Amino acid sequence: MSVFTIEGCHPLSGSVAIQGAKNSVLPILCATLLSPETCVIHNCPRLTDVEHTLDILRHLGCQVTWEGDTVTVGPSKLTCCSIPDTLMREMRSSVIFLGAMLARLGQAELSYPGGCELGPRPIDLHLSALQSLGAEVREAGGRLFCAGRLTGADIALSLPSVGCTENAMLSAVAAEGVTTITNAAREPEIVDLQNFLLTLGADVRGAGSSVITIRGGKTLHGGEYTVMADRIVACTYLSAVASAGGEGNLRGVDWRLLSTVTSVLTEAGCRVESTPDTISIIAPRRLRGVRPIRTAPYPGFPTDAQAVVMAALCKTDGATVFVENMFDSRYRHVDELKRMGADIRTDGRVAVVYGVPRLYGAKVRSTDLRGGAALAVAALGAEGESTLTGLGHIDRGYADLAGDLAALGAKIVRKEEK
């Protein structure tokens, strides 16, 4: 079993390059299915979710190599249009393959991620978008069957779902005619996907706004592309410096993509300065509480940054209110933070963090990706040593959390325990 041992209360000082974005690379790898020619993806982070995605590509018949941070996908000879339940269970975002498979092969078969029966879940948005393009969808025994000749259409999303926007974009690239997606998600990762599709020869415009237009049916070719930096990983490392104190420099990340987080940290007393591709932070000995933080779709405060920022604000003068507007179960890290001495009270979607004088090292367990990172952030500001288990969750989104934090000056070690 892998564990982190973290010695807290040591001010940080260092510099780190930010890895490629998890939420970009997964749909981009799926999009390689759209072209019959080889695609080369640079800045691909070594994540377990990426490994699972590549396993699915191999299962479908793609030739895949991974050297350093470069993945090469040869999708010329697809031999399968079905993804087994064992591969679908590995990650929730595997549903994004639906649009790409349907676009390239005209049919797709897969199970609901996690093996669940269909019901009133967000995947209904994905299916509705595909049906708008002319796909026939049926479900039996927990398996989804989609097929049909796709035609451009107007797709009005009931909410700006990132995954649904991506699935609609991927399928619309192969649809004859023009597709317009309204109330589209505006996240930077959507823009990154659009830029990759443009590299392949697709005609996609409007990503980053609420209206995306795709002129489908273009003949696509291979391409080479570099994935953007991961803004949530950057938020994590900024929060780590805020928690432990000291200073840090993040390289290769666009500050504009996480300005809602840097403004919170600035309000809490940190000094944050930016250049076009770097962010530096200097944290005071003690932070102060800030105005209520409400998660929202981009460009609002990101839900994925809620846990790590909460961890940094556990030791403040004053209190901070968090309102989680995106997910129902996004406070699972709270009980573990309390084991370290945090004073946090939750009621539904609201969490109130009352600043405490100090946190204490403890044995804590990660139960989800961002919550696990939050526990590491809190441990850096806690007195004594903390032990963090459940690293499988963290490995889904951080290529080397311990190594990156160590580069920033943290006393953190990953080791194996029986």
Side-chain angles (χ1 to χ4, degrees), residues 262-270 288-292:
T262 57
S263 64
V264 166
L265 295 177
T266 298
E267 185 181 347
C270 297
R288 54 179 176 264
V290 301
R291 288 170 292 182

Side-chain angles (χ1 to χ4, degrees), residues 54-226:
L54 298 184
D55 285 342
I56 292 176
L57 289 173
R58 293 187 183 100
H59 172 82
L60 295 174
C62 297
Q63 293 182 328
V64 178
T65 60
W66 194 353
E67 297 182 2
D69 69 349
T70 298
V71 170
T72 302
V73 181
S76 61
K77 298 180 180 179
L78 296 185
T79 57
C80 182
C81 62
S82 173
I83 303 176
D85 183 66
T86 52
L87 290 177
M88 287 296 296
R89 283 179 178 271
E90 296 295 341
M91 61 177 187
R92 301 285 298 178
S93 58
S94 54
V95 72
I96 198 66
F97 274 98
L98 194 58
M101 291 168 61
L102 188 59
R104 174 74 184 279
L105 302 170
Q107 57 183 328
E109 177 189 344
L110 46 79
S111 65
Y112 183 85
C116 301
E117 294 289 337
L118 286 177
R121 300 183 176 92
I123 193 174
D124 291 349
L125 298 176
H126 298 244
L127 302 183
S128 177
L130 297 179
Q131 288 171 324
S132 296
L133 296 172
E136 295 182 2
V137 180
R138 64 184 180 90
E139 186 268 335
R143 300 287 292 175
L144 273 174
F145 301 87
C146 300
R149 182 178 178 84
L150 303 181
T151 305
D154 293 334
I155 300 174
L157 302 183
S158 59
L159 57 89
S161 160
V162 172
C164 186
T165 300
E166 292 167 344
N167 244 337
M169 290 172 65
L170 295 178
S171 52
V173 164
E176 292 294 334
V178 178
T179 297
T180 302
I181 306 170
T182 57
N183 197 27
R186 299 166 59 187
E187 272 71 6
E189 294 78 14
I190 301 291
V191 179
D192 216 25
L193 176 60
Q194 171 182 275
N195 290 340
F196 175 65
L197 293 173
L198 292 174
T199 299
L200 300 185
D203 187 347
V204 185
R205 298 288 186 272
S209 75
S210 59
V211 180
I212 300 175
T213 303
I214 304 105
R215 298 182 183 277
K218 304 290 184 180
T219 299
L220 303 186
H221 49 72
E224 192 166 352
Y225 190 76
T226 300

